[in-house]
Amino acid sequence: MLIQMFFWSLAAVLLGASIGVITSRNPVFSALYLVLAFFTSAVMWLLIEAEFLAVVLVLVYVGAVMVLFLFVVMMIDINTEELRKGFTRFAPVGGFVALVVAVELITVFLVRNSGLPVLSNPPPHPEGYSNTKELGAVLYTEHVYAFELASFILLLAIIAAIVLTMRKRPGLKVQNIARQVAVRRQDRVRLVSMEAEKD
């Protein structure tokens, strides 16, 4: 009973943080709400004995992806007025997606409480069991190429974030490498012959 109360309290916090992500007008506040949602999800992973996924969620998403997201938000010029204008335009699509998610969740709860042998709680693991060891064995043997591909995609995301911060905007100083390489000696120094002036 105590675990269920703890789960529902975490679910309420997660729901509130998720609403804060999409309703906050400040992008930095949205990112902080997303950090809270990630932490709450990690604790919920711990409740079902998925320690590795909880640790990865905190280290990778909160420690790396969110820092990168905040870096992008702080460096690029986001016109919040334009974002507010487009909210009503995308509201019907967002409402439809929210309705579909709500129907799916209600269906899961109804099926789980129907007594059918589906979505039942898994049996607890024996003492000494490590899901980190089991996941690592599968990840670096059967799915090693997918793991390397995921790391390559994360590298592309970092490069894309840097490119976004270096886009053209007023007051940004950039280098023209081709113009610097093509410079000639005659263009750098010009000798001018002048007559001597007398007081």
Side-chain angles (χ1 to χ4, degrees):
M1 183 65 181
L2 183 61
I3 296 179
Q4 292 181 353
M5 292 176 58
F6 186 54
F7 170 79
W8 286 113
S9 62
L10 288 175
V13 173
L14 181 58
L15 183 61
S18 303
I19 294 174
V21 170
I22 61 175
T23 58
S24 179
R25 296 183 177 182
N26 193 336
V28 179
F29 290 163
S30 295
L32 294 178
Y33 278 122
L34 192 57
V35 169
L36 176 61
F38 283 151
F39 269 110
T40 310
S41 300
V43 177
M44 295 178 75
W45 279 114
L46 287 175
L47 289 179
I48 58 174
E49 300 181 3
E51 297 87 3
F52 177 77
L53 296 178
V55 171
V56 167
L57 187 62
V58 173
L59 292 181
V60 176
Y61 284 92
V62 177
V65 175
M66 287 309 303
V67 172
L68 181 63
F69 181 73
L70 283 175
F71 173 75
V72 173
V73 168
M74 298 299 290
M75 291 298 293
I76 64 177
D77 297 326
I78 298 179
N79 192 352
T80 55
E81 295 296 331
E82 293 294 331
L83 293 178
R84 293 173 191 170
K85 291 179 182 178
F87 179 77
T88 56
R89 182 177 59 183
F90 298 109
V93 178
F96 175 73
V97 173
L99 180 63
V100 171
V101 172
V103 170
E104 291 178 352
L105 290 175
I106 293 172
T107 304
V108 169
F109 287 129
L110 291 178
V111 171
R112 185 162 189 170
N113 296 328
S114 63
L116 297 175
V118 292
L119 298 175
S120 58
N121 292 327
H125 296 297
E127 184 178 357
Y129 177 82
S130 175
N131 59 2
T132 305
K133 180 178 178 181
E134 298 296 331
L135 284 173
V138 175
L139 189 63
Y140 291 105
T141 54
E142 300 179 10
H143 305 289
V144 63
Y145 294 114
F147 181 76
E148 293 296 330
L149 182 61
S151 62
F152 181 71
I153 293 175
L154 286 176
L155 177 62
L156 287 180
I158 295 173
I159 296 174
I162 296 174
V163 170
L164 283 176
T165 59
M166 298 302 294
R167 65 179 183 174
K168 293 183 179 180
R169 62 178 183 266
L172 180 65
K173 296 180 179 179
V174 296
Q175 289 181 321
N176 191 343
I177 305 299
R179 186 176 179 183
Q180 292 177 354
V181 172
V183 73
R184 298 180 302 172
R185 181 180 59 183
Q186 296 83 356
D187 298 333
R188 288 189 175 272
V189 179
R190 185 175 63 176
L191 299 179
V192 179
S193 179
M194 299 179 61
E195 297 181 359
E197 297 181 358
K198 296 180 181 180
D199 294 336

